[in-house]
Amino acid sequence: MSRQQILTFAAARTNKLPLSVGHRGASEQWPENSIISMAQAVKDGADGLEGDLHLTADGEIIVMHDPSLDRTTNGTGLIKDRPWHGYIDGLKSKKEPHVGVPRCVDVLAFLAQDGNEKVWWNIDIKMNNSPWLLLSMFARLMEDHFPGRDFSSQIVLGLWHPKFLAAADKYLPRFSRIHIGFSLPIAREHFPPSTVDGYSINFMILSTPAGRQFVKDMQAAGKQILTWTVNDSIEAREAVKIGVDYILTDRTKVLSDVLYEFETLGKDGVDLKYAAEAFDTWSRWSKYAFWRTLIWMFLTVKFNSATKQLDAEPEKILVK
């Protein structure tokens, strides 16, 4: 059974500009990962959405970035230790307007609405999840709540760890998958082009010489390149010049305006208009080099730790 190739949207675009992806929706303005945030992102012109999944203690799949409830809601504790029914279902976002925590089924219902058939959802699946448990439950959720509907034309699986590939093959074989990460060595070694349909890499990593070469290499192999999280107009213009296929942003209206200028003025016209605001790769890379190095080291340690944990996990979890 072949996978849906929904990431070819960007390749088919005649103006060759990147497509816009609402990072947790239009999350600068609205509560992140909420349905109203996603709806606003689509209204702002986003072609796709991005969100994160976690399992609750009683087996519900909710859409939230953090593994805990503390930062974004009026609740506390780890999601895996808290039940949906009787606790999380009554929580509200800290950010106004104070809305409830969305479940995966709520986002699927949004995607299934008339008019949203071409909106796609990039699911970010973190390494602290069980690949076999989460993906099997996700597959069962779609079967139970949307029988007969094929969401493989609207959903891309975003994977941080290669251990999720086998589970995706088993439970969601038709769904496109991409590797999400900070590390180009991890991407090249553990996610060769034969295993994924694209790569979603942090923008400042792609803005380096090694990152720009990675974009060329993977696009030459027929793969799509996504980058995140681009909220600055100067960085957005540079992402266009680097040649990425998709840009993830919290500021969907800002990105929409940047892309509109490229469409109307052309790349030469944009260069001329913003000549005084040119992107300086070296100064920007140097400015954040210390913090990026710490993040890279942290994620490498986390990757290795997750490998040990996932190696010990059974590769067949049957969800009744």
Side-chain angles (χ1 to χ4, degrees), residues 93-136:
S93 64
K94 288 182 178 178
K95 192 169 187 176
E96 294 182 351
H98 306 297
V99 296
V101 176
R103 296 170 298 168
C104 181
V105 68
D106 300 322
V107 179
L108 293 176
F110 175 76
L111 295 177
Q113 289 178 6
D114 291 343
N116 287 345
E117 297 87 353
K118 293 185 179 181
V119 177
W120 59 277
W121 188 28
N122 171 196
I123 298 174
D124 186 334
I125 304 173
K126 299 294 194 297
M127 292 183 285
N128 58 306
N129 290 288
S130 160
W132 300 95
L133 182 59
L134 180 62
L135 295 186
S136 62

Side-chain angles (χ1 to χ4, degrees), residues 24-61:
R24 309 175 202 168
S27 56
E28 181 184 63
Q29 181 180 3
W30 302 94
E32 63 183 56
N33 281 318
S34 65
I35 299 299
I36 59 171
S37 181
M38 295 183 181
Q40 184 61 48
V42 173
K43 184 178 180 180
D44 288 343
D47 302 280
L49 303 166
E50 184 269 355
D52 315 80
L53 302 184
H54 290 282
L55 279 169
T56 67
D58 53 354
E60 286 283 353
I61 305 176

Side-chain angles (χ1 to χ4, degrees), residues 14-287:
T14 56
N15 59 18
K16 301 302 180 185
L17 293 175
L19 294 181
S20 169
V21 182
H23 183 246
R24 309 175 202 168
S27 56
E28 181 184 63
Q29 181 180 3
W30 302 94
E32 63 183 56
N33 281 318
S34 65
I35 299 299
I36 59 171
S37 181
M38 295 183 181
Q40 184 61 48
V42 173
K43 184 178 180 180
D44 288 343
D47 302 280
L49 303 166
E50 184 269 355
D52 315 80
L53 302 184
H54 290 282
L55 279 169
T56 67
D58 53 354
E60 286 283 353
I61 305 176
I62 67 170
V63 186
M64 187 172 291
H65 176 267
D66 299 2
S68 72
L69 299 160
D70 300 64
R71 179 178 65 86
T72 57
T73 77
N74 59 345
T76 60
L78 295 175
I79 295 169
K80 67 177 183 179
D81 296 332
R82 295 285 189 262
W84 166 261
H85 300 280
Y87 186 68
I88 299 177
D89 60 352
L91 299 180
K92 298 295 182 182
S93 64
K94 288 182 178 178
K95 192 169 187 176
E96 294 182 351
H98 306 297
V99 296
V101 176
R103 296 170 298 168
C104 181
V105 68
D106 300 322
V107 179
L108 293 176
F110 175 76
L111 295 177
Q113 289 178 6
D114 291 343
N116 287 345
E117 297 87 353
K118 293 185 179 181
V119 177
W120 59 277
W121 188 28
N122 171 196
I123 298 174
D124 186 334
I125 304 173
K126 299 294 194 297
M127 292 183 285
N128 58 306
N129 290 288
S130 160
W132 300 95
L133 182 59
L134 180 62
L135 295 186
S136 62
M137 293 184 71
F138 181 55
R140 179 58 59 87
L141 178 73
M142 288 184 287
E143 292 176 6
D144 290 346
H145 291 271
F146 303 91
R149 183 179 180 88
D150 182 9
F151 280 101
S152 67
S153 63
Q154 288 182 278
I155 293 177
V156 175
L157 307 177
L159 313 177
W160 286 79
H161 199 283
K163 279 287 182 178
F164 287 78
L165 291 170
D169 286 339
K170 179 175 177 62
Y171 294 110
L172 301 166
R174 283 179 49 77
F175 284 62
S176 298
R177 75 277 301 263
I178 58 175
H179 166 57
I180 307 175
F182 272 92
S183 171
L184 298 179
I186 287 176
R188 288 185 182 276
E189 178 180 354
H190 297 284
F191 291 90
S194 60
T195 64
V196 292
D197 304 297
Y199 299 86
S200 183
I201 306 295
N202 174 263
F203 169 72
M204 292 309 294
I205 300 299
L206 290 187
S207 72
T208 65
R212 293 166 191 264
Q213 187 60 50
F214 180 84
V215 172
K216 292 178 181 178
D217 291 345
M218 295 308 163
Q219 288 180 334
K223 305 304 171 182
Q224 301 286 292
I225 301 295
L226 301 82
T227 194
W228 48 272
T229 304
V230 179
N231 293 326
D232 179 290
S233 296
I234 295 176
E235 292 182 355
R237 290 193 288 271
E238 188 64 19
V240 173
K241 294 175 188 177
I242 290 172
V244 302
D245 301 293
Y246 296 86
I247 299 175
L248 280 68
T249 182
D250 301 325
R251 306 173 70 189
T252 44
K253 182 63 170 64
V254 171
L255 178 58
S256 178
D257 291 343
V258 169
L259 295 176
Y260 178 75
E261 283 196 320
F262 272 99
E263 190 161 5
T264 55
L265 301 178
K267 292 186 178 181
D268 291 341
V270 170
D271 285 345
L272 182 62
K273 181 176 180 178
Y274 296 101
E277 301 177 30
F279 181 87
D280 187 332
T281 302
W282 176 247
S283 66
R284 290 205 173 211
W285 176 255
S286 300
K287 181 178 178 181

